[in-house]
Amino acid sequence: SLCHSLESKMKSMLPRHAAAAATLYDAFVPVYLTKRHRDRGVRKKSTASVARHEKKGEHIIILGGGIAGLSTARYLLKRTEPTEGTRVTLIDRNADLVPSKNPSLSSSAYEQQICEQPHFSIPSRRNGNVICPSLTVPWTTRSLWAEVFLPGLKSIVSPSDVTSPSVTFNWSSLIWDRDMWSFSTHFLLQKLLLGRTEHQSNKSILEYNMKCLDDPSDNLVQSIEYGRFAVGTKLADGSIKDMDSSGDVGLFCRGLLTKLSKRYDDRFTVISGEETAMLEVNDGVLHGATTMDESGARTTREADKFVVALGVNSTPLCRSIGVQCPVYPAKGHLVTIASEIDCKYNLTLDGGIGYAAPMAHVDSKGRRLYRLSGFVDFTPVKETDHERIDALLDAARVHLPDLEMIDASACHRPISADDRPLIGPSAKYPNLYLCTGFGSRGWSIGLGSGSLLADQILGRPCDIDPDPYLPARFRWGYR
């Protein structure tokens, strides 16, 4: 067949190009090209026309306890009645996920989070504090030369230059990384061939997230204290984006988890300290998830539906069962500072390298605390880059000349190949759903993404069009 011929051709490439060949085969084999196959796929199941689910007593397992997983759990529980028997199990590898398991973090006081644990130990909850619905344009709509090739060349020519561009590539390690080849291939496909003009914006999910976050009828969400503070973002030209704000996603997640556990204790189970090892597939049907605790003991749990909300760890898990998930980890840096200057706006840092977000707290000297965030570095290196930290501090001093650094850290963000989140069912397994690829917008789209995915899982009409965010858009032939 054509597919087998193409596979043989690509696998006959030189060994050193095996990763690229495998990636190209995954990306280009024309699966689901016909209307019959497409109708049998997931696109139709994700639209508002799907009838409400009739199955009683569904068990849904959510893998990942960050903003994506918790938000999905919130709306699944909110939109199902106890009499339906729907149960939600959330699994996360971090033992600190449940505050009661770590007495030193049992308090939800904002002062403890900021003063004693400025960068909470759960990586998925480290954030720049910025809530920015104004960040609507994905980087696939921008100049390929300016956003990819030029930064790449500069990172090669002057890798140690503190004035290097906001986006850098560690080519020596990336060139042999199959995931980067897959990411790059899908990026080019969306940029040059498959991308749909009407979908080249994150505006709908960003605005929807603010609607969910500020929903006056949602008493549970409104009761969470997470340090909401800024009243807009001040741009370089002095204009104000007044829809933007700031807040701590770590506090929000802790508050949401606590309140969900109390309100839905009979239908909501949290398992912390267990890492997802593999998904179990038998005869083409996904039926279980196997986790491993700190001692190495493995447990397999079965369910009717599964949600992968693992951020940068979503890709290898999905790849293990042949599911496309072109999400790649890109490192960003965070710095907490204090300043006598009390600003109520998020500040855009010079050169567009990031933001300075005011926090709803002052230190013991009465100074306002700010969180700096910025840079996108495609590198496997996890350690903090002090040159990047210095660059953020220098850019922030233009606005806050008296700043003092409190602490700094770095973590990897899950960026999708077209800079839009993956929200919806996978094309290969109808009972597997993805909620990942948020990039630097996790706090700005997390709650809305959970709501959108919950509607798809339950077969409810969606409040916004889910089509721009479906994982199936990364399948060749999907339009």
Side-chain angles (χ1 to χ4, degrees):
S1 67
L2 176 61
C3 293
H4 285 103
S5 176
L6 182 59
E7 180 181 17
S8 299
K9 179 69 174 177
M10 290 183 172
K11 288 185 177 180
S12 67
M13 296 172 69
L14 292 175
R16 64 181 302 181
H17 299 302
T23 297
L24 291 172
Y25 173 72
D26 290 342
F28 283 101
V29 172
V31 182
Y32 293 102
L33 286 179
T34 66
K35 183 179 186 299
R36 177 174 62 86
H37 282 110
R38 182 180 297 171
D39 290 345
R40 197 166 59 190
V42 299
R43 187 179 185 184
K44 185 174 289 186
K45 295 187 66 175
S46 301
T47 63
S49 63
V50 178
R52 291 181 61 87
H53 73 304
E54 299 178 355
K55 184 177 180 179
K56 303 295 182 180
E58 281 192 327
H59 181 206
I60 303 169
I61 288 181
I62 299 175
L63 304 172
I67 183 68
L70 282 168
S71 297
T72 303
R74 190 275 172 281
Y75 288 104
L76 285 172
L77 294 166
K78 179 184 179 183
R79 293 168 183 164
T80 54
E81 298 296 331
T83 54
E84 297 181 44
T86 300
R87 295 172 294 119
V88 176
T89 298
L90 185 143
I91 304 174
D92 193 270
R93 67 179 179 180
N94 295 284
D96 291 339
L97 189 72
V98 181
S100 61
K101 289 191 175 184
N102 188 336
S104 66
L105 298 175
S106 59
S107 172
S108 62
Y110 190 73
E111 290 78 358
Q112 179 184 9
Q113 169 75 21
I114 299 305
C115 296
E116 299 179 22
Q117 302 284 341
H119 290 152
F120 192 38
S121 61
I122 298 180
S124 62
R125 298 183 181 182
R126 296 176 186 168
N127 70 108
N129 265 55
V130 181
I131 306 174
C132 271
S134 63
L135 291 174
T136 61
V137 182
W139 64 344
T140 44
T141 65
R142 303 171 187 170
S143 167
L144 195 61
W145 168 256
E147 296 294 326
V148 179
F149 295 121
L150 185 58
L153 290 174
K154 286 184 177 181
S155 67
I156 295 174
V157 175
S158 56
S160 61
D161 186 356
V162 295
T163 61
S164 58
S166 58
V167 180
T168 64
F169 298 83
N170 185 343
W171 292 113
S172 61
S173 59
L174 298 178
I175 196 68
W176 307 115
D177 187 348
R178 176 177 176 177
D179 288 339
M180 172 50 74
W181 279 98
S182 175
F183 178 87
S184 301
T185 299
H186 284 290
F187 168 82
L188 292 173
L189 285 173
Q190 293 293 317
K191 173 73 176 177
L192 305 175
L193 187 61
L194 301 181
R196 297 164 64 177
T197 303
E198 68 271 24
H199 290 169
Q200 296 306 306
S201 174
N202 282 307
K203 182 177 180 180
S204 61
I205 191 65
L206 285 160
E207 292 181 350
Y208 183 55
N209 183 78
M210 294 303 294
K211 180 180 178 181
C212 293
L213 196 59
D214 295 331
D215 183 0
S217 67
D218 193 336
N219 296 327
L220 187 146
V221 170
Q222 299 311 311
S223 66
I224 300 174
E225 296 182 8
Y226 56 93
R228 184 81 169 263
F229 186 75
V231 295
T233 295
K234 189 173 183 179
L235 304 181
D237 62 3
S239 61
I240 304 295
K241 295 291 185 180
D242 55 11
M243 284 186 64
D244 296 353
S245 187
S246 65
D248 194 298
V249 70
L251 289 180
F252 181 84
C253 287
R254 291 177 65 190
L256 181 57
L257 175 61
T258 300
K259 293 180 182 298
L260 289 178
S261 298
K262 289 181 178 179
R263 179 172 294 189
Y264 304 103
D265 62 328
D266 58 333
R267 297 196 288 136
F268 182 50
T269 301
V270 178
I271 300 172
S272 61
E274 295 189 16
E275 184 171 5
T276 304
M278 60 186 300
L279 296 174
E280 304 289 345
V281 177
N282 283 337
D283 298 326
V285 178
L286 177 62
H287 69 89
T290 297
T291 60
M292 182 171 60
D293 63 19
E294 295 179 353
S295 68
R298 293 181 174 242
T299 303
T300 299
R301 297 177 178 87
E302 295 189 346
D304 301 292
K305 296 177 180 178
F306 300 83
V307 176
V308 174
L310 292 169
V312 297
N313 295 313
S314 301
T315 299
L317 184 66
C318 289
R319 185 179 62 237
S320 68
I321 57 172
V323 172
Q324 292 278 9
C325 182
V327 171
Y328 200 83
K331 186 168 73 172
H333 285 78
L334 304 171
V335 187
T336 305
I337 63 172
S339 172
E340 295 283 357
I341 300 174
D342 194 355
C343 182
K344 61 181 179 179
Y345 297 109
N346 299 320
L347 302 172
T348 303
L349 299 182
D350 285 7
I353 64 173
Y355 295 90
M359 306 170 84
H361 186 66
V362 295
D363 66 5
S364 58
K365 298 178 182 179
R367 299 177 299 178
R368 176 66 58 193
L369 292 182
Y370 295 81
R371 180 67 52 77
L372 309 182
S373 60
F375 294 116
V376 176
D377 299 322
F378 288 93
T379 174
V381 179
K382 297 181 180 180
E383 289 74 23
T384 301
D385 185 332
H386 295 289
E387 292 179 345
R388 289 305 215 183
I389 298 301
D390 290 341
L392 283 173
L393 292 173
D394 289 342
R397 286 192 180 95
V398 174
H399 307 280
L400 309 167
D402 65 331
L403 68 82
E404 178 185 350
M405 187 179 81
I406 306 300
D407 70 358
S409 68
C411 59
H412 284 82
R413 303 298 190 194
I415 296 183
S416 72
D418 60 0
D419 203 19
R420 283 180 282 133
L422 283 74
I423 309 170
S426 72
K428 189 170 185 178
Y429 302 101
N431 66 332
L432 175 64
Y433 296 80
L434 306 184
C435 194
T436 186
F438 292 0
S440 61
R441 299 184 182 90
W443 190 199
S444 298
I445 64 176
L447 197 64
S449 298
S451 176
L452 179 61
L453 182 61
D455 281 339
Q456 295 179 68
I457 293 173
L458 299 174
R460 293 168 50 97
C462 297
D463 293 329
I464 63 173
D465 181 10
D467 206 48
Y469 314 107
L470 294 179
R473 69 184 185 270
F474 292 111
R475 293 196 72 90
W476 177 255
Y478 180 84
R479 294 289 289 178

